[in-house]
């Protein structure tokens, strides 16, 4: 008996061919497809308009390698962090972040991360493997159901800012987005999806060549090469010169604005000369800057004072740059950016 195939890796045509080969009607493929991608169910039993005989065929040939909720934590600010066990036992986390008008989910793309940024809890976990497109999709489907249940509205935004480096899992991340945005699935707008990268330059260019429509965020954190290499080892091989080339290319090809994530670290990257350097770097393409409050992860770094953050922001605004100060949510449950490290598992 051949190994069963994860049903969410096959195309609708393959499903339809399989059914026809078994002597069944083509329209069953449409019904099954809808169960899988629109209703986002992850077992064959629930497909109650599909005859048992067909469900048995499916069960004999296909499987769902789904994610299983192992724990859930609620923050006092409404943020909900969930840990999920993957079929092979690894655990990843996703975070639901509600605000007045939006519900955002922050999804993981890898188990751990090898890039070892010095300020990030995930970077302390060795990368075990890439998530499949279905495992990423499942986090979104979970968030969508929870949002409906708690807030009576669909999920509005998705950020690929959980565990892992999305651009080192390029194919699966893109195929998860293809599903999420498909009319036959959740039909979410690509403009409400943001993929965040530490700056994998080759793949930023690949995104441009693939003419993606979702938003790109680059975790810049400093416009000084020396400082960036200290904070982020990736900068040693892919420095700011290469990053700025890739960003310029991305903007030229897609016409899109870039979002920069800039973590504010006390005494490290929060001075006025740092702001001037950043403003200069930002000239390469239209952009928006998010100044992020650092979340403590027992490292040597401290967060910048709010007063300093405001001064830094004002200075950047003097260059006509769009700047937001981002206070992190879910800090009391380690659900904030950079804190995802499976502490509950
Ligand atoms: N690997 C990707 C996406 C996941 S990290 C990337 O680096 O962009 C998502 C965001 O969380 C990044 O901007 C990252 O720099 C930020 N981050 C990491 N550690 C953090 C911390 N301790 N406090 C606040 N933000 C942090
Ligand atoms: Fe990896 Fe992003 Fe954390 Fe750096 S900040 S270690 S790239 S998850």
């Amino acid at each position: 008996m051949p190994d069963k195939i994860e049903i969410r890796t096959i195309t609708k045509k393959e499903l339809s061919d399989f059914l026809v080969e078994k002597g069944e009607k083509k329209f069953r493929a449409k019904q099954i497809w809808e169960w899988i991608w629109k209703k986002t169910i992850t077992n064959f039993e629930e497909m109650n308009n599909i005859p048992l005989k067909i469900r048995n065929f499916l069960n004999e040939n296909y499987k769902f390698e789904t994610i299983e909720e192992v724990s859930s934590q609620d923050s006092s600010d409404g943020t909900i962090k969930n840990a999920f066990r993957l079929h092979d036992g690894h655990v990843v986390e996703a975070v639901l972040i509600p605000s007045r008008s939006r519900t955002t989910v922050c999804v993981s793309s890898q188990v751990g991360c090898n890039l070892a940024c010095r300020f990030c809890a995930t970077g302390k976990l060795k990368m075990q493997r890439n998530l499949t497109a279905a495992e990423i999709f499942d986090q979104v489907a979970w968030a969508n159901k929870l949002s409906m249940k708690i807030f009576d509205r669909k999920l509005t935004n998705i950020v690929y800012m959980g565990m892992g480096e999305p651009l080192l899992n390029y194919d699966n991340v893109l195929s998860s987005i293809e599903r999420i945005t498909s009319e036959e699935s959740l039909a979410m707008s690509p403009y409400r999806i943001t993929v965040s990268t530490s700056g994998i330059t080759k793949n930023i260019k690949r995104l441009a060549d693939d003419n993606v429509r979702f938003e790109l965020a680059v975790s810049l954190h400093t416009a000084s090469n020396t400082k960036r290499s200290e904070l982020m080892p990736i900068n040693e091989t892919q420095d700011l010169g290469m990053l700025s080339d890739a960003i310029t290319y991305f903007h030229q090809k897609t016409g899109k604005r870039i979002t920069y994530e800039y973590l504010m670290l006390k005494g490290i990257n929060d001075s006025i000369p740092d702001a001037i350097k950043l403003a200069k770097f930002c000239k390469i393409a239209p952009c928006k800057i998010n100044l992020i409050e650092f979340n403590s992860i027992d490292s040597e770094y401290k967060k910048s004072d709010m007063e300093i953050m405001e001064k830094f922001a004002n200075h950047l605004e003097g260059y006509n740059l769009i700047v937001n100060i981002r206070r992190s949510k879910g800090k009391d449950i380690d659900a904030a950016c950079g804190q995802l490290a499976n502490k509950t598992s």
Side-chain angles (χ1 to χ4, degrees), residues 9 24 34 42 47 95 97 114-115 145 183 202 217 220 242 253 257 260 262 265 290 296 303 315:
T9 60
E24 299 298 336
E34 213 173 280
T42 50
M47 300 182 175
V95 184
I97 310 154
N114 271 348
L115 298 184
K145 283 179 187 162
E183 282 302 320
K202 199 171 102 221
L220 189 62
M242 289 168 74
K253 281 243 159 171
R257 181 173 79 169
Y260 294 115
Y262 195 101
L265 302 168
N290 289 333
S296 162
K303 66 175 180 180
H315 200 86

Side-chain angles (χ1 to χ4, degrees), residues 143-263:
N144 194 37
K145 283 179 187 162
L146 201 58
S147 181
M148 287 300 291
K149 192 169 130 195
I150 306 179
F151 310 109
D152 202 23
R153 66 174 182 227
K154 283 189 176 168
L155 186 68
T156 57
N157 295 70
I158 303 172
V159 294
Y160 283 68
M161 292 187 186
M163 301 164 83
E165 168 49 55
L167 294 194
L168 291 180
N169 184 13
Y170 191 96
D171 292 340
N172 293 342
V173 162
L174 261 69
S175 94
S176 70
I177 295 175
E178 196 183 296
R179 294 298 188 202
I180 294 161
T181 54
S182 159
E183 282 302 320
E184 291 185 330
S185 181
L186 301 179
M188 287 187 65
S189 162
Y191 304 115
R192 289 174 173 269
I193 301 177
T194 302
V195 171
S196 176
T197 179
S198 56
I200 309 299
T201 52
K202 199 171 102 221
N203 287 346
I204 293 176
K205 288 186 176 166
R206 191 168 163 203
L207 289 176
D209 290 333
D210 285 342
N211 209 4
V212 298
R213 290 183 305 145
F214 53 79
E215 307 301 323
L216 179 67
V218 174
S219 295
L220 189 62
H221 307 317
T222 166
S224 145
N225 254 327
T226 333
K227 289 186 188 180
R228 199 163 190 269
S229 294
E230 270 166 33
L231 294 171
M232 306 170 73
I234 180 84
N235 197 69
E236 284 165 25
T237 47
Q238 308 188 32
D239 69 5
L240 287 170
M242 289 168 74
L243 186 57
S244 91
D245 283 351
I247 291 170
T248 308
Y249 185 79
F250 179 84
H251 171 68
Q252 278 168 356
K253 281 243 159 171
T254 63
K256 281 188 142 323
R257 181 173 79 169
I258 315 294
T259 299
Y260 294 115
E261 307 290 325
Y262 195 101
L263 197 54

Side-chain angles (χ1 to χ4, degrees), residues 113 115-117 119-120 122-123 162-165 198:
C113 181
L115 298 184
C117 300
F119 45 78
C120 174
T122 308
M163 301 164 83
E165 168 49 55
S198 56

Side-chain angles (χ1 to χ4, degrees), residues 258-276:
I258 315 294
T259 299
Y260 294 115
E261 307 290 325
Y262 195 101
L263 197 54
M264 297 287 292
L265 302 168
K266 190 174 193 158
I268 306 272
N269 63 356
D270 61 354
S271 70
I272 296 300
D274 288 314
I276 295 169

